[in-house]
Amino acid sequence: MSTATAYLDLPRTPDYDAWPVEAHIASVSASPRIVTLYWSDGRESRYHSIWLRENAADDTTINPATRERILDLSQLSGWPEVTQAEVDDAGALAVTFAPENIRLCFHPGWLRAHDYDNADDPEAPLVPISLWHGGPGTTPDTLDASRLLESDAGSDEEEKILKPALESVLGKGLVRLRGLPTEPGSLEAIARRIGPVRPTNFGQLFDVKAKPDPDSNAYTSIALPPHTDLPTREYHPGLQMLHCLENSVEGGQAVMLDGFAVAEALRERDPNAFETLTRVHWCYANTAKVTDYVWYSPMIRQNARGELLEVRIADFLRGPLQAPFDEVEPAYEALMALQRLLREPEFALRFTYAPGDLVIFDNRRLLHARDAFEGSNGHRWLQGCYMERDEVRSRYRMCQRREREMRLSSR
């Protein structure tokens, strides 16, 4: 049997992904609860019998139409144990399980990709996080996206634009796309190339321009300090897009800061202030005329491993601090230490929007700001929207899947 024919005979996987076989299974050994694979490149991988049983791709384990699991392990008459394990003619792992006396086959490419015995960190970021500083002469990663909306969804042309853009957002928290249309509302079509838009009380899309009777400082011509948007929400949006439709004013330069770089600088220079801002819960409030959003959270949040997860910084949206009495002065001391860092020029990346520019940034990591502008002799009009970090990660994984599919089709 040829390699190509054998590959077509491999079993399906419990997902919809494509998993190239970069190394084949050379041999197998098994005990009742452990299967060990010896790969052609010298790697050894161990899999627990119960893990294999619940990750099979047969009709007793998953719904073939949805690839979602239907097996309830607790309803088996006993712990799944291996009575036989071998490599079948197609190169798949074939395992017979007791007490069911069922023979199930596993795709070698899928097994290798999910080799938890040799995994470094299954929760590692899809793209390595790269902290950055600003300063004179720095610019955001910038890509030509002039053909994005002309490309077919899921096409090679679309992937060539989106994949590097998503990598910049995932790694640096920021990317600038240029050459996009300037028709009002076109932002939604652009955003949906990544994923669904998250509506808020400001709408599906919102217009950032000076207007009468504003319900946000953003809708004026005054300067805005560095901030994240909507920290007043339990889950403030993970991603923000700002699309320039018009800009003929004097001033109004955009400012971006890597909030993670600022937080790390605070951790190094003033550990007590850093620790305080990870502990004290501040009140964030957006009490407008028709809505009343309030949430309490630390300004700096870490995950269980001490890695930075998000920042919530917006002085104009802080409500009255409601902390234990003895925490109030240390909290304000830490706040002012952070505020001083935010004013340091080394952190600020400054640029001017041109019509057709779209800036995409991580709203839980980056701080954005704006210089005041003179609007009497021109217009500055940005349209914005929000979506979640999950959408960027999902779209990037689809780019990776497409690459794997292309590799398989070229065999």
Side-chain angles (χ1 to χ4, degrees), residues 157-302:
E157 187 174 16
E158 182 194 59
E159 300 285 301
K160 288 177 182 177
I161 297 169
L162 281 185
K163 188 169 185 287
L166 297 173
E167 286 176 345
S168 291
V169 173
L170 290 167
K172 296 181 179 180
L174 173 67
V175 73
R176 177 172 60 183
L177 304 182
R178 311 208 89 158
L180 290 162
T182 56
E183 290 78 21
S186 56
L187 173 59
E188 186 169 358
I190 299 166
R192 289 190 179 278
R193 293 299 181 106
I194 297 175
V197 173
R198 170 179 165 174
T200 70
N201 56 302
F202 295 107
Q204 186 92 345
L205 303 182
F206 52 88
D207 292 303
V208 184
K209 58 182 177 180
K211 63 182 182 181
D213 196 24
D215 56 354
S216 168
N217 287 349
Y219 303 154
T220 70
S221 61
I222 67 173
L224 296 178
H227 66 282
T228 59
D229 270 17
L230 305 189
T232 57
R233 304 300 186 90
E234 179 177 1
Y235 301 106
H236 56 312
L239 197 76
Q240 183 169 175
M241 299 186 180
L242 291 174
H243 181 209
C244 182
L245 304 182
E246 188 175 359
N247 191 11
S248 56
V249 301
E250 294 184 12
Q253 195 170 40
V255 184
M256 294 281 182
L257 300 84
D258 185 348
F260 284 6
V262 174
E264 290 294 358
L266 183 65
R267 190 201 309 249
E268 180 180 346
R269 301 183 197 180
D270 193 338
N272 288 334
F274 177 87
E275 193 277 332
T276 298
L277 293 181
T278 64
R279 186 186 70 251
V280 172
H281 282 60
W282 295 82
C283 173
Y284 297 94
N286 187 345
T287 53
K289 295 177 181 178
V290 295
T291 57
D292 197 337
Y293 294 98
V294 178
W295 191 250
Y296 295 85
S297 174
M299 284 192 186
I300 301 172
R301 288 189 59 224
Q302 305 174 88

Side-chain angles (χ1 to χ4, degrees), residues 284-355:
Y284 297 94
N286 187 345
T287 53
K289 295 177 181 178
V290 295
T291 57
D292 197 337
Y293 294 98
V294 178
W295 191 250
Y296 295 85
S297 174
M299 284 192 186
I300 301 172
R301 288 189 59 224
Q302 305 174 88
N303 61 21
R305 297 181 289 187
E307 299 164 335
L308 292 171
L309 186 62
E310 66 179 35
V311 295
R312 292 189 189 228
I313 299 170
D315 280 349
F316 54 91
L317 291 176
R318 275 192 295 105
L321 176 60
Q322 302 290 290
F325 188 85
D326 291 340
E327 291 271 41
V328 171
E329 288 193 357
Y332 278 109
E333 289 173 354
L335 170 65
M336 289 186 286
L338 174 64
Q339 290 171 329
R340 286 190 288 269
L341 276 181
L342 294 176
R343 292 197 300 271
E344 292 190 6
E346 67 173 282
F347 293 109
L349 185 158
R350 311 180 75 89
F351 61 92
T352 299
Y353 279 102

